[in-house]
Amino acid sequence: MSNRTRAHVHTFADLKPDFDAIVGAVNYATMTTVDTSGRPRSRVLIPVWDTDADIPVGWLGTYRTPVKAAHIAGNPHVTFSYWSPAQNTVAVDAVAEWTDDPGERAQVWDMYRHGSPPGAGYDPGQFWQGADDPAFQVLRVSPWRIQVLRRRDLVSGIPARIWRGQLLGDDRSISE
């Protein structure tokens, strides 16, 4: 593809303000996993996001349904897609893993309650008794590619901006 269709950024900080604004405004993301036969399955969820030394980290407080658990066990690669009617989009390609760490579960609970980024999240007490509720399960989402496209850029012919991190456990080249 030509350089006109995408523009790589050097650090996540180059995307973070627009990432935060779009994710905070949309809140809901479509999460796609893949089954053992290679068939995709999508569901609408609300992840929260943080950064760790300028590396984005996503968290998903969710139920560990048999389908979701089986898909992630078979292939931990997931995609989150945010879209607003204003034509602002964020796409996140990541690796997901379950975490049972009590500290991380409490952190994620608080991130949902306070919004991370602002606008993203909800009161998890609507669904669970607390961070230590056995039904409250947490997925850590480690992005290796994030694409941000704002409508104003789209109509001006400015390419989507892409941040690339390291794909965990895989040194192979990844196609765009």
Side-chain angles (χ1 to χ4, degrees):
M1 290 190 130
S2 73
N3 286 337
R4 182 139 170 74
T5 59
R6 68 184 130 191
H8 293 274
V9 298
H10 297 291
T11 68
F12 179 68
D14 296 330
L15 291 180
K16 190 174 183 337
D18 290 322
F19 176 91
D20 286 354
I22 294 168
V23 167
V26 175
N27 199 20
Y28 291 90
T30 302
M31 175 189 178
T32 304
T33 58
V34 177
D35 71 13
T36 57
S37 296
R39 298 172 297 210
R41 168 81 60 95
S42 296
R43 75 268 300 145
V44 177
L45 299 166
I46 301 174
V48 289
W49 299 91
D50 199 4
T51 53
D52 182 8
D54 193 43
I55 302 296
V57 178
W59 301 95
L60 186 63
T62 188
Y63 293 99
R64 194 181 299 206
T65 64
V67 169
K68 198 181 308 159
H71 286 193
I72 291 168
N75 183 346
H77 294 267
V78 298
T79 295
F80 290 89
S81 178
Y82 294 87
W83 172 82
S84 77
Q87 303 303 325
N88 295 317
T89 67
V90 169
V92 179
D93 296 324
V95 175
E97 63 182 326
W98 297 103
T99 179
D100 295 320
D101 179 87
E104 288 179 335
R105 291 166 56 95
Q107 171 193 342
V108 171
W109 185 271
D110 287 341
M111 289 172 69
Y112 272 101
R113 289 182 57 238
H114 297 105
S116 186
Y122 57 89
D123 177 7
Q126 299 173 80
F127 303 99
W128 301 284
Q129 297 299 310
D132 58 351
D133 184 334
F136 178 68
Q137 298 291 304
V138 174
L139 273 174
R140 178 187 173 96
V141 179
S142 301
W144 56 268
R145 181 183 184 276
I146 296 177
Q147 176 178 304
V148 173
L149 179 60
R150 300 172 301 189
R151 179 188 184 280
R152 69 178 180 248
D153 295 338
L154 179 65
V155 299
S156 299
I158 297 171
R161 290 168 298 143
I162 298 171
W163 169 86
R164 295 277 307 259
Q166 183 176 355
L167 179 57
L168 301 177
D170 190 351
D171 296 328
R172 292 175 291 160
S173 175
I174 301 165
S175 65
E176 293 294 326

